[in-house]
Amino acid sequence: MLAKEIRERYLRFFEKKGHKIVASDLLVPENDPTLLFTGAGMNQFKEQFMGKNVTFKRATSSQKCLRTGDLENVGRTPRHHTFFEMLGNFSFGDYFKREAINWAWEFMTVEMKFPKERLWISVYKDDEEAYSIWKDEIKVDPKRIVKLGPDSNFWPADAPSKGPNGPCGPCSEIFFDWGPGTGCGKPDCSPACDCSRFIEVWNLVFTEFERKPDGQLVPLPAKNIDTGMGLERIVSVVQNVPTNFDTDLFTPLTDAIKKVLDAKGVSVPKSHINLIADHIRAVTFCITDGVSPSNEKRGYVVRKLIRRAYMKSKQKEAFLFNLVPVVVGLLKDIYPELEGKREHVAAIVKDEEDKFNETLRAAMPVMEEMLSGGKKKLNGDQVFKLVDTYGMPLDVISDEAETRGVTIDVDTYEKLMEKRKDESRKGSNITSDFIFKPDAFAKAPKPELSGDMPLLCDVVFMLKNGAPADAISEGENGEIITSPQSSVIYTEGGGQVGDAGHIEADGVSAVFVNVCNAGGKRVFQTHVKKGTLRIGAKVKISIDEKRKERTACNHTATHLLQSALRQVLGDQVKQSGSYVDDRRLRFDFTQLKKLTDRELLAVEELANGWIEKNMPVKKETKSLEEAKTEGALSFFGEKYGEIVRMVTIPGASKELCGGTHVDNTGVIKFVKIISESSVASGIRRIEAVTGENVIAWLKETSVGFDKELKQMSSVAGGTASLFKSVPGLDKAAATVDKVLKNEAHVDKALLKEFDETVRP
């Protein structure tokens, strides 16, 4: 039985049991900064497990996951992976232990026809209910039921004694017995043994308690089920092969790796081939889901996986990129997004391999010299030099040193690296007065909505320094919730900042700098300028309409720029991120090469041409299916409901978007790209300004304005009218008109006046 049939059987089995089949979430968890990557099937259901947004009570999924905790074991053991698929069935306050256990047993013994005598069970030592169900109802021989402690059979592990506080519960696991001929050979061997005889294939988590700060386990009013079955593991059992890497999920890939290495006369251990196969799967999915190699957080993981696989291959030129089509071919049926990104992913991997090869060419001779002469230890300053000056990854240095029996002084290296980071931090002006934590507002009331503005309301909840408070004094920052709240106020989302404005009360003057969403509750991030704002205060809230309009201009301009980029560069351009506020816009997109000046100018020409035409901007609500049929662009990774909002600029752009937009493009006046750069392999970023912010930007820079005007000459004729509307530049507008008309004679006096006016 092939892996795709096992996956399909699992999902259809639980669909028949009343579960909704939910598509896999991205490898990057949405709205969950606590996770680097999606590591379990339950991650995307976090809100449902907390009793929020429960539109279905039963779900099943095949979730793509990434874990790096056991990175050193990948390839060396039969079953460790970075990327893997997790089959799961979930209940949100619906069924519980009895159904979960019965259905798991039915799937294993009836649907998959596993011999009952080959299946063993583990339960938490104090969970008599689960033990009784397995023994008395399922009729599993008690000799094949093992009671284990909280380190093995509780989630989170050791939660009863060590925490963390919050939802938790016992587990019950299903093991497959490979037989007495495998493992330690002891007559009393059981799943409690850490030998290879018993393989855990399914973990059933019964979330039934809330751990309190005093350590008490209090029963939850709504109990949940969270199960996880590793697809790679269950496939290895069904196909009766010794390792996950011998299943049809991997063999076409490992065969392709062997073929490449054999052709080049390179011999590496099977463990290295397994590692390469695992890592290129992980890399392909990460880049497809928008995580490109970089030196920051998730991007660094991808970069590290590529480098590890490259080093294990003993290659001296790029070859991993040729494996991407093999991965796509294996899994495109279940993950169709892979097909459209195949060439883009392969190009990014090749680019990363080439860069790493250049690093190795420069650094390897230096490292060889450092490791020569029978040395037993590499000094910390030498390690730091290899990393900081030559860009050699620490794990590569460690691996090379280990093969020669040389230790490295990691402590000194880390101190030097920390010193370098401190120096970098001192040179940074990045600050944040607010760190928004949605869970902090879980117990806040959810107010009614009103469409009225200015909004007359009461302060009903307040945080200061992240903790509940009764008052925010003059000069202090805090976060407040009011009742009622206005549906007119925009909350931060989709890459756009929330509204800002003023809060007034008796003897109090305050401003809110942003509005965030915490489970449908609008949270005002507030600075009190005068007086003391208290719980229960009656306040009047008004929006900064000019800021709101400038933000809308920038958001609509983002749509125009995406459309222009796709026309100039091709439809392979896809949005991979954006940020819009009232001052400027930032747009990240898939593109391997730096844009030329000609390409940037062409993008500006198109966008400003649409602005000059004063085109209508339509906002419509319709079904997701209807919007897709009409060709609306969607942002990959964004979750859309059945009903969506479509923003259309006829003949220019059509996107699904919930942000604020102008009513016609002419309001934007002008868009100017002020920078284009790389933010990760295969991801470029443009930043731009619109309207009056163009003038503000020019005043802040040392751009020679005569040159800038000539660059604008072939763009939009609306530039001159924009300058005419700015006090102090009205007389110089005549010069702008002449430059835009490409007239040979330009009034130098006016140009000089213009240049002096806009310069600081």
Side-chain angles (χ1 to χ4, degrees), residues 429-444:
N429 292 320
I430 298 174
T431 60
S432 178
D433 292 329
F434 294 98
I435 300 175
F436 181 60
K437 297 180 179 179
D439 289 350
F441 300 91
K443 296 183 179 179

Side-chain angles (χ1 to χ4, degrees), residues 4 24 113 139 201 204 214 220 223 226 237 253 260-261 328 503 537 540-541 582 584 614 619 682 759:
K4 64 179 181 181
S24 171
K113 296 182 170 52
K139 305 298 184 184
V201 292
L204 316 178
D214 61 2
L220 287 168
K223 298 175 172 59
D226 162 23
V237 173
L253 184 54
V260 172
L261 298 182
V328 173
I503 301 175
K540 181 174 79 171
I541 294 179
D582 62 313
R584 63 178 61 190
N614 201 30
K619 303 100 174 176
R759 287 180 184 278

Side-chain angles (χ1 to χ4, degrees), residues 74-76 81-82 245 250 253-254 256-258 260-261 266-284 305-315 319-324 327 353:
V74 174
R76 297 181 181 179
H81 299 287
T82 51
F245 296 98
F250 282 95
L253 184 54
T254 53
I257 296 168
K258 289 176 190 174
V260 172
L261 298 182
V266 175
S267 177
V268 299
K270 186 176 186 298
S271 62
H272 288 196
I273 292 173
N274 291 346
L275 179 144
I276 294 166
D278 170 273
H279 285 13
I280 195 61
R281 288 206 326 161
V283 166
T284 299
L305 293 175
I306 293 174
R307 289 171 171 177
R308 279 170 56 85
Y310 185 86
M311 289 296 292
K312 296 297 183 185
S313 71
K314 297 184 179 179
Q315 294 297 294
F319 94 103
L320 293 171
F321 73 98
N322 285 319
L323 301 174
V324 172
V327 176
E353 289 183 274

Side-chain angles (χ1 to χ4, degrees), residues 13 17 100-113 138 202:
F13 175 85
K17 303 296 184 184
I101 291 173
N102 272 276
W103 291 338
W105 189 253
E106 181 184 346
F107 179 79
M108 294 294 284
T109 61
V110 178
E111 182 72 22
M112 300 303 297
K113 296 182 170 52
I138 306 298
W202 205 344

Side-chain angles (χ1 to χ4, degrees), residues 499-517:
D499 281 337
H502 301 275
I503 301 175
E504 298 175 14
D506 188 17
V508 178
S509 175
V511 294
F512 62 96
V513 297
N514 194 21
V515 186
C516 300
N517 182 9

Side-chain angles (χ1 to χ4, degrees), residues 560-590:
L560 294 175
L561 286 171
Q562 174 166 218
S563 186
L565 283 163
R566 288 168 63 86
Q567 286 200 30
V568 173
L569 302 176
D571 288 345
Q572 80 280 358
V573 169
K574 297 286 192 303
Q575 179 177 347
S576 62
S578 66
Y579 180 78
V580 175
D581 62 18
D582 62 313
R583 298 178 299 279
R584 63 178 61 190
L585 64 92
R586 184 180 75 212
F587 184 76
D588 297 344
F589 57 99
T590 54

Side-chain angles (χ1 to χ4, degrees), residues 18-270:
H19 293 64
K20 176 182 174 63
I21 298 178
V22 179
S24 171
D25 201 5
L26 295 179
L27 280 176
V28 179
E30 185 184 33
N31 299 324
D32 193 346
T34 64
L35 295 174
L36 197 63
F37 290 101
T38 299
M42 59 81 64
N43 290 156
Q44 71 164 312
F45 301 115
K46 184 176 179 180
E47 282 201 343
Q48 285 85 351
F49 279 124
M50 296 173 67
K52 304 173 185 175
N53 195 28
V54 181
T55 56
F56 46 84
K57 291 196 170 185
R58 300 180 182 184
T60 184
S61 69
S62 178
Q63 173 65 49
K64 48 191 176 183
C65 300
L66 189 77
R67 296 180 185 175
T68 58
D70 293 311
L71 195 59
E72 297 305 319
N73 290 322
V74 174
R76 297 181 181 179
T77 70
R79 321 211 182 273
H80 279 100
H81 299 287
T82 51
F83 174 86
F84 60 95
E85 292 180 78
M86 181 77 80
L87 301 170
N89 58 284
F90 311 93
S91 168
F92 315 116
D94 188 16
Y95 64 84
F96 201 46
K97 292 181 186 179
R98 177 165 284 101
E99 293 87 347
I101 291 173
N102 272 276
W103 291 338
W105 189 253
E106 181 184 346
F107 179 79
M108 294 294 284
T109 61
V110 178
E111 182 72 22
M112 300 303 297
K113 296 182 170 52
F114 283 110
K116 296 179 181 180
E117 65 276 7
R118 300 286 294 274
L119 300 178
W120 285 57
I121 308 298
S122 73
V123 296
Y124 178 51
K125 63 183 182 65
D126 296 333
D127 190 355
E128 292 300 327
E129 181 184 5
Y131 180 82
S132 176
I133 294 171
W134 283 115
K135 181 175 73 73
D136 300 329
E137 298 183 29
I138 306 298
K139 305 298 184 184
V140 175
D141 187 339
K143 294 179 181 178
R144 299 204 315 276
I145 305 176
V146 181
K147 293 185 177 182
L148 300 176
D151 57 331
S152 300
N153 274 63
F154 210 90
W155 180 87
D158 289 320
S161 59
K162 299 179 181 178
N165 296 328
C168 60
C171 309
S172 181
E173 298 165 311
I174 301 176
F175 292 81
F176 181 79
D177 180 8
W178 284 105
T182 306
C184 65
K186 296 177 182 178
D188 61 345
C189 184
S190 76
C193 182
D194 59 3
C195 75
S196 58
R197 173 175 170 177
F198 295 92
I199 173 176
E200 176 207 330
V201 292
W202 205 344
N203 187 15
L204 316 178
V205 180
F206 313 126
T207 312
E208 59 179 314
F209 300 114
E210 179 182 2
R211 188 184 192 275
K212 296 293 187 179
D214 61 2
Q216 286 189 54
L217 298 183
V218 179
L220 287 168
K223 298 175 172 59
N224 303 314
I225 289 293
D226 162 23
T227 85
M229 175 192 287
L231 177 66
E232 290 77 6
R233 288 192 179 190
I234 193 66
V235 172
S236 72
V237 173
V238 172
Q239 296 181 359
N240 194 32
V241 292
T243 80
N244 296 356
F245 296 98
D246 296 304
T247 68
D248 71 302
L249 284 167
F250 282 95
T251 50
L253 184 54
T254 53
D255 288 346
I257 296 168
K258 289 176 190 174
K259 186 176 180 180
V260 172
L261 298 182
D262 288 346
K264 297 187 177 183
V266 175
S267 177
V268 299
K270 186 176 186 298

